[in-house]
Amino acid sequence: MELLKKNIRMTWQKARAVTQITLEEDLNVPDSRPDAGSIIQNKEIIRIEEAKASQGQLQITGVLEVHILYVAEGDAHTLHRLETRIPFDERMNLENAQAGDNIDIKKEMEDLNVHLINSRKLSIQALVSFQASVCDLYDAQAAVELHGAENLSTKTREIRPLSLNVQTRDILRVKEEIALASNKPNIGEILWESIQLRGNDVRVLDGELDVRGELFAFILYAADDEKATRQWIETSIPFQQTIAVAGSSPSNVPDVEMTLSSVSLEVKPDYDGEPRLVALDAVLDLDIRLYQEETVEILEDVYAPDRELIPVRKEETYESLVMRNFSKCRAGERLKLEPKKPRMLQICHSHGEVKLDDVQIVPDGLKIEGAVFVTILYVTSDDAMPFALMHGAVPFQHVLEVEGINEHCRYTLRAAAEQLATTMIDSEEIEVKTSIDLNALVVERHKEACIAEVQEKELDLKKIQEMPSISGYIVQPGDCLWDIAKEWHTTEERIRSMNHLENGEVPPGTRILLVKSVAVKN
């Protein structure tokens, strides 16, 4: 007999670990920069240069880039920028990891504290967390057909496995020139920038991905005039590109994470030779997983009336798609300035970052709790501090509907602030309204006893002879004609023929005649 099997390509997380590192550095103000009077704003970029797995361990090397905007001492109160790179080299335990493994690393800045020691020296303290995981591919095997035996009867059941079709990484580059409005002065120096990725969408095509979204850019600059007046521009840069992905198909279920890894800005002259253009070059990292949902008929049981067939089963694990759900959640809050903060004259720019505090599986959904942490740069009424920063949090709670979710499900959930609107109520209070994109992929893990092989041996003739040759039977609720035929060493077709039954299920209470029919070979 020949048993045909089907491979179902799956992925499983064989290792996961979390660690935190503390980075510290004292930064001297370069001689080319004036004394620092106060710090307005800082931001960080965590760059992982290498992640190398070995037996049970992971080595992570990279740098933490810190950017600082400060007000100079003196009557001019000019704005200046400082940058520094703090290297790190961290070894973490990662059970079951091996050399050559494909490592997935999530990085997050837990806390960044920058303060003045004196006018020529700053202290930087950072707490960075890394979440590392190792995913491995394996083939779950399930028997689907059996050939090579006479009078063979098979019973099948339908499963809908979600198999991993494509797993790869790629980058997408967005290049654009931002032109100043006619009422804006020329650019002398870029002081600060904030580039946010919003509204990203990925569609799977034949052999490629269609990637769309927008970059929301804020640029603060010193004008090219005698007073170096502070100016800023805000603009939205939509993008749409296709990238080649071998093996992709519109029937695939995408799970694509898109992150903004780096941005560079360069001031360029326009057609008149004036510095009125900003060349933006952004690099987006794409972590691509494409799944294929299939319908597979696998063997559940086999028998033949004239011999004993013994299925040997092996437990296999596979995953099926529960739901892929996109949802939006709206939230709002009124934020009040701290008492020691200078009063507001005008809002320059607002930035929101979503952080999830708790996600729980509830009946038919995911209960999500979190907050949008808002940073608002504004013009003050204090000449000694022309710009200041306001921080606040907008909490939200949302139930993402996922019909059929249960404790055996796993999910990937991505959240991002799609829209953020800030309105001044007065010089001390701001109203914040935001819209949060929630993107969830939910799959359920199943364990199935799949037939790995079928053994064959002669019938127990004594047991067969003890069975009555003919008998009457009343079909019970839950009975299957195939199971009745197997027990009586006959076939479904023979039972239907003798009892004049049509194809389909036999309703409970039906009286049927059963005749043992065993052809014993000499």
Side-chain angles (χ1 to χ4, degrees):
M1 290 184 297
E2 182 184 5
L3 189 65
L4 300 181
K5 298 180 181 180
K6 180 177 177 63
N7 286 337
I8 305 170
R9 176 58 58 92
M10 303 298 298
T11 181
W12 67 288
Q13 191 179 86
K14 73 174 184 179
R16 181 180 180 275
V18 178
T19 190
Q20 290 183 335
I21 61 173
T22 301
L23 301 173
E24 297 182 359
E25 182 180 87
D26 288 344
L27 174 63
N28 293 319
V29 178
D31 295 338
S32 58
R33 296 290 186 184
D35 290 350
S38 58
I39 296 173
I40 295 178
Q41 189 172 7
N42 57 67
K43 65 178 181 179
E44 78 290 334
I45 302 174
I46 306 168
R47 299 193 187 280
I48 297 176
E49 297 176 341
E50 185 181 24
K52 188 175 181 181
S54 57
Q55 191 67 37
Q57 290 189 326
L58 176 64
Q59 190 79 24
I60 304 174
T61 58
V63 295
L64 170 65
E65 292 185 9
V66 181
H67 302 253
I68 302 163
L69 182 66
Y70 75 90
V71 180
E73 281 189 336
D75 296 334
H77 307 302
T78 54
L79 301 182
H80 299 274
R81 180 174 184 155
L82 297 176
E83 298 178 2
T84 187
R85 292 165 58 91
I86 307 173
F88 58 82
D89 190 347
E90 178 71 9
R91 182 182 294 272
M92 61 186 294
N93 293 325
L94 191 59
E95 188 178 357
N96 296 326
Q98 298 177 349
D101 278 343
N102 185 15
I103 310 294
D104 182 31
I105 302 177
K106 310 294 183 186
K107 52 192 185 295
E108 185 174 356
M109 176 60 66
E110 299 289 346
D111 186 42
L112 177 63
N113 185 21
V114 180
H115 66 272
L116 288 172
I117 298 175
N118 55 53
S119 62
R120 303 302 299 175
K121 181 177 288 189
L122 294 83
S123 172
I124 301 173
Q125 297 175 329
L127 180 63
V128 184
S129 67
F130 297 99
Q131 178 181 301
S133 60
V134 179
C135 290
D136 198 12
L137 296 175
Y138 70 97
D139 287 328
Q141 288 193 331
V144 291
E145 292 181 22
L146 180 64
H147 299 283
E150 296 180 0
N151 300 320
L152 182 68
S153 293
T154 61
K155 182 180 181 181
T156 63
R157 69 176 180 273
E158 183 181 285
I159 63 173
R160 293 182 62 83
L162 191 70
S163 57
L164 185 63
N165 189 41
V166 175
Q167 182 177 13
T168 186
R169 288 187 172 94
D170 210 331
I171 63 169
L172 185 146
R173 209 172 207 112
V174 179
K175 294 186 177 183
E176 190 71 31
E177 287 188 346
I178 304 170
L180 293 183
S182 58
N183 62 341
K184 292 286 186 180
N186 293 345
I187 302 173
E189 178 189 4
I190 293 179
L191 301 172
W192 199 254
E193 76 281 338
S194 172
I195 314 296
Q196 303 171 59
L197 177 62
R198 293 183 178 179
N200 50 299
D201 180 39
V202 177
R203 302 175 186 180
V204 187
L205 308 175
D206 281 319
E208 59 185 14
L209 295 184
D210 179 51
V211 183
R212 306 181 184 197
E214 68 173 19
L215 297 175
F216 187 75
F218 166 78
I219 301 171
L220 176 68
Y221 69 94
D224 186 16
D225 54 27
E226 293 182 358
K227 295 183 179 181
T229 56
R230 275 88 61 168
Q231 301 285 333
W232 64 87
I233 53 176
E234 282 187 317
T235 186
S236 178
I237 304 169
F239 62 86
Q240 187 270 324
Q241 295 184 30
T242 57
I243 59 173
V245 177
S248 68
S249 166
S251 62
N252 290 158
V253 179
D255 182 20
V256 180
E257 183 176 12
M258 190 186 316
T259 55
L260 183 62
S261 63
S262 66
V263 177
S264 64
L265 300 177
E266 181 185 358
V267 179
K268 298 178 65 177
D270 62 7
Y271 290 113
D272 298 326
E274 301 289 335
R276 300 187 61 80
L277 297 177
V278 178
L280 177 144
D281 187 356
V283 177
L284 305 178
D285 285 340
L286 301 177
D287 188 359
I288 302 168
R289 289 183 177 88
L290 304 180
Y291 297 91
Q292 182 65 46
E293 188 177 21
E294 300 179 272
T295 299
V296 182
E297 292 279 346
I298 68 170
L299 286 181
E300 184 177 351
D301 201 357
V302 297
Y303 82 92
D306 58 354
R307 73 197 71 186
E308 186 174 356
L309 301 180
I310 305 172
V312 179
R313 293 176 171 85
K314 177 184 177 183
E315 188 175 74
E316 295 282 5
T317 301
Y318 73 94
E319 292 180 332
S320 64
L321 178 67
V322 177
M323 183 175 288
R324 184 168 180 250
N325 193 349
F326 296 92
S327 182
K328 291 185 184 295
C329 170
R330 298 187 183 277
E333 189 82 359
R334 286 197 173 191
L335 305 178
K336 205 167 183 63
L337 278 176
E338 297 176 10
K340 294 183 180 181
K341 287 282 188 178
R343 304 305 94 186
M344 283 183 287
L345 288 181
Q346 183 182 0
I347 296 174
C348 294
H349 174 65
S350 55
H351 176 87
E353 184 176 348
V354 179
K355 291 193 177 181
L356 302 180
D357 297 325
D358 187 39
V359 181
Q360 296 181 11
I361 295 178
V362 296
D364 291 333
L366 288 172
K367 183 180 179 181
I368 304 166
E369 295 181 356
V372 180
F373 288 86
V374 181
T375 303
I376 301 168
L377 181 68
Y378 64 92
V379 180
T380 78
S381 57
D382 186 355
D383 292 338
M385 188 73 167
F387 291 87
L389 212 61
M390 179 182 183
H391 298 279
V394 181
F396 68 90
Q397 186 180 97
H398 183 72
V399 176
L400 187 69
E401 293 184 2
V402 183
E403 185 178 351
I405 193 170
N406 57 56
E407 67 275 8
H408 302 295
C409 293
R410 70 169 180 88
Y411 58 86
T412 58
L413 176 63
R414 299 189 178 95
E418 182 196 16
Q419 296 178 347
L420 183 66
T422 53
T423 306
M424 283 182 59
I425 304 300
D426 54 33
S427 62
E428 298 181 356
E429 192 173 15
I430 290 179
E431 183 179 28
V432 180
K433 294 182 179 180
T434 182
S435 174
I436 303 112
D437 274 346
L438 298 168
N439 179 4
L441 176 68
V442 183
V443 299
E444 183 178 1
R445 177 158 289 192
H446 305 266
K447 290 185 177 180
E448 294 285 351
C450 298
I451 295 178
E453 62 174 301
V454 176
Q455 298 176 353
E456 180 181 0
K457 68 178 185 179
E458 295 295 328
L459 286 174
D460 185 348
L461 296 181
K462 181 179 179 181
K463 180 180 176 181
I464 299 298
Q465 290 172 353
E466 291 175 352
M467 295 176 59
S469 298
I470 186 169
S471 178
Y473 183 76
I474 300 176
V475 178
Q476 303 297 313
D479 274 351
C480 171
L481 202 61
W482 192 94
D483 292 332
I484 297 172
K486 178 183 178 182
E487 183 179 352
W488 281 86
H489 292 271
T490 183
T491 64
E492 281 189 83
E493 293 77 10
R494 185 174 177 82
I495 294 175
R496 291 185 186 277
S497 175
M498 290 188 61
N499 293 275
H500 306 290
L501 300 175
E502 296 180 356
N503 291 332
E505 294 184 4
V506 180
T510 303
R511 298 175 181 271
I512 58 176
L513 189 67
L514 298 173
V515 177
K516 178 179 64 176
S517 58
V518 180
V520 181
K521 294 182 178 180
N522 295 324

